[in-house]
Amino acid sequence: MIPKITTGSGGSRRVVHYLFGPGKHNEHTDQHLIASWNGFAPDPGPHPDSATEAKLAAQLDLPVNALPADQRPATTNWHCSLRTAPTDRLLTDDEWADIARRVLNAAGIAPAGDTKACRWIAVRHAPDHIHIAATLVRQDGRIARRDFDRKAVQAACRSIETDYGLRQLNRGDGTAPKRATSKEHFKAERLGRTRPVREELREAVRRAKAAARTEPEYFAVLTCTGMKVKLRQAPSGDITGYSVAHPKDTNAAGEPIYYSGSKLSPDLSLPEIRKHLGAQDPDIRTGNPWHVAADAARHTLAVLDGDDDAGAQAHLAAFGDLLDNATLATPTANQTELRAAAAAFHRATRSTIRAENQRAASLRSAAKQLLYTATSGQDGTGLAVLLSIAILVTTAATRWHEVRGHQQQQAAAQATLTHLRTAYEQTARPTLTALAHQAPNPATIHRYEAALRQAIPAHADRILTDPAWAALTATLAKAEKAGDNPRMLLTQGAEQRELTTADSPAEVLHWRITGRATTQRQKAATARSAQRTSKFPAPAPPRPQSPTIIAAQRRHHR
C-alpha cells in the first residue's frame, strides 16, 4: 500500500471539490464518503452538489476559522492518498474506513479515542484507492502534532499490509531520492514525455558524476549533456552549490525550472560530489580497459564477503559508477539493458551505512578509465567478461543488503540482475557459439576431461554436461597453445570463487580463464614496454575528450 502525503493552505473547498468531482481525466467513479471525524458529515456523492460541497468544507474548516487570523498555522490542510497494488483484493468500504483511522492515528492528526482531534474525511472514488483530507487545527484550538508523519504513516501501512493480506512493500530508510510529484508526472504526460523531468535530470547528473575526474570536468560534462547548469558562488568566488534545469522544462513565464543536486538525490549534492571526486586512485592501470574494470570489480566480491561495511558501501557506489560508464562505452546493441541495470542499481548504492569512499578508489578510477579509453569495434569479449563479474557482484550485493535488512536496496539489486543477465546473453552468446565451433579434436577434449576431473572433481560431472563445455575446451586449447597448463588454469579458475551457485559453471570458467590470460598478457606487455622506454621516456599522452563527445563519435562511426 502506497501512501502519498501533501500539505497546503487556503481552506478545504478546493480539495473537497476535487475529491467528489470527476477528476482531471474523468478517472473518478462512484465517489462517496466512507468515514469522517464524526460519522455523519454531509456526503456530496458522485454527482456533487455545490451547496453540499460548501457545507462539508465549512464544517472541516470550522476549527481553523475559529482562530484569530494571526494565530492560524501557515499549513492548514493535510491530504493523504492510499492505493493498493494491482494484485491485491478489493477492500470493502468498512475496511478502507478502518485503514483511514489507523493512518490518521499514526500521523498524529486523529489519535484513537481523542474526541478533540482534527476534523477529517475519507473519500473513495476508485476501487483501489481512497483519499483522506484533514485540517490541522484540533477542535480544542490547538495545532496538531504530526512529527515525522510521513515516516509514521509508512510504518503503519506496512502493518496494514500484513493485517489485511495485501502485497508487502519494502520498508524505507530515508535514503531514497525524492520521487517526482503528481504534477511533474502530469506535466510529462501533457508534453508527451516518457519520464518526469526530475528523473531525466537525476540520470544526467548521476552519469556526469560517474564520468568526471575533476570538479571543472564534472560541470563541463554536465553541460555537454545539454542540461542548463547554474552555479552558486560566494563573494570570494568559491562555488558553494549548483542547480540544473532541463532545456525544455520551463514555467509559465518561459523561465527554466532549476533543481539543486541535493533535491535530485542526497548523493548528488556538491559536497558529496567533491567527496566522490576526491576518492580516486592516481595510478592508472594499463591494458584492456574492460579487463581492468573486471579485475577491479572482482575485488568488490571480497569486500562484500568481509566485515568492512563502510568499505562495502563505498564499493557499491563505485560499482554503480562502473555500470553507468559501461553503458556509454558499450556498443549500441547492449545499451538498453545496461542502462536499465544502471538505473535500477542506483537505489542499491545508498543505505544508512556511511561509505568510506577512498576504500573503493581503484574501482572508481577503473570505471572512469573505461569510459575514456575503451574503443569501439570490440569483439564483445571484454564486455562479456565484465558482465560475468557484474552478475556476481550484484548477486553478492543482494545478499549483503539482505543480511543488513536493507529491503529496498535488496529489491533494487535483484531488479538489476534481470537486466544484467539479459545484457550478458546478448553479448556472450555469439562469442560462446563461435567458440563451440572451434572445439579441438576428440583426443584433446578427452585429455581436457581428465585434467578437469583432476582439477575440480566435485564439479566435473556438471561441467562436462554443461552446453558451454565445447566453448571451454576451445578456450583451454588457445591457452595451452600460448604456453599455459590446462589443469592449472582450471584449478585457478575454480579457486577464484565458488561454482556451486553458477547456472553454467563451464561459462564461468571460460570467462575467468579468458580474463586471467588477458591480464597476464597485459602485464607482460607492460613490462616489455617499460624496458623499451626506460632509456627513452614516452611523451605525455593527450588529454582524453569529454565522455559525451566520445559517445557521440562512437554513434557516428557506427
Side-chain angles (χ1 to χ4, degrees), residues 415-427:
T416 305
L417 273 175
T418 301
H419 297 294
L420 285 178
R421 284 172 175 149
T422 302
Y424 170 81
E425 286 295 318
Q426 293 173 344
T427 306

Side-chain angles (χ1 to χ4, degrees), residues 335-514:
Q335 287 188 355
T336 300
E337 291 298 331
L338 268 178
R339 182 172 184 169
F345 195 76
H346 185 241
R347 183 65 189 96
T349 65
R350 290 187 53 77
S351 75
T352 54
I353 296 173
R354 184 179 295 276
E356 290 291 342
N357 291 318
Q358 197 60 43
R359 300 183 191 178
S362 295
L363 177 57
R364 185 167 285 109
S365 296
K368 297 180 189 299
Q369 185 180 353
L370 175 66
L371 183 58
Y372 283 92
T373 60
T375 58
S376 59
Q378 295 284 332
D379 62 2
T381 300
L383 175 59
V385 169
L386 177 58
L387 287 173
S388 68
I389 299 300
I391 290 172
L392 291 176
V393 171
T394 308
T395 302
T398 303
R399 291 197 298 266
W400 189 84
H401 283 306
E402 180 182 15
V403 168
R404 286 152 186 81
H406 302 162
Q407 295 181 350
Q408 291 194 9
Q409 293 85 341
Q410 177 190 350
Q414 288 174 329
T416 305
L417 273 175
T418 301
H419 297 294
L420 285 178
R421 284 172 175 149
T422 302
Y424 170 81
E425 286 295 318
Q426 293 173 344
T427 306
R429 199 54 52 203
T431 301
L432 292 169
T433 301
L435 275 174
H437 290 107
Q438 301 172 23
N441 58 59
T444 303
I445 292 177
H446 182 71
R447 185 160 52 82
Y448 291 159
E449 179 181 344
L452 175 67
R453 292 192 180 281
Q454 290 179 336
I456 325 173
H459 298 281
D461 289 336
R462 272 189 74 208
I463 294 170
L464 290 172
T465 57
D466 191 323
W469 166 243
L472 178 57
T473 61
T475 302
L476 291 171
K478 288 184 178 181
E480 187 175 33
K481 187 176 180 180
D484 290 312
N485 183 299
R487 184 168 65 83
M488 188 66 66
L489 288 175
L490 290 167
T491 301
Q492 292 171 343
E495 288 175 347
Q496 286 186 21
R497 196 168 179 85
E498 55 85 22
L499 293 171
T500 304
T501 58
D503 293 333
S504 174
E507 284 187 31
V508 171
L509 288 171
H510 158 73
W511 295 120
R512 289 177 184 177
I513 292 171
T514 301

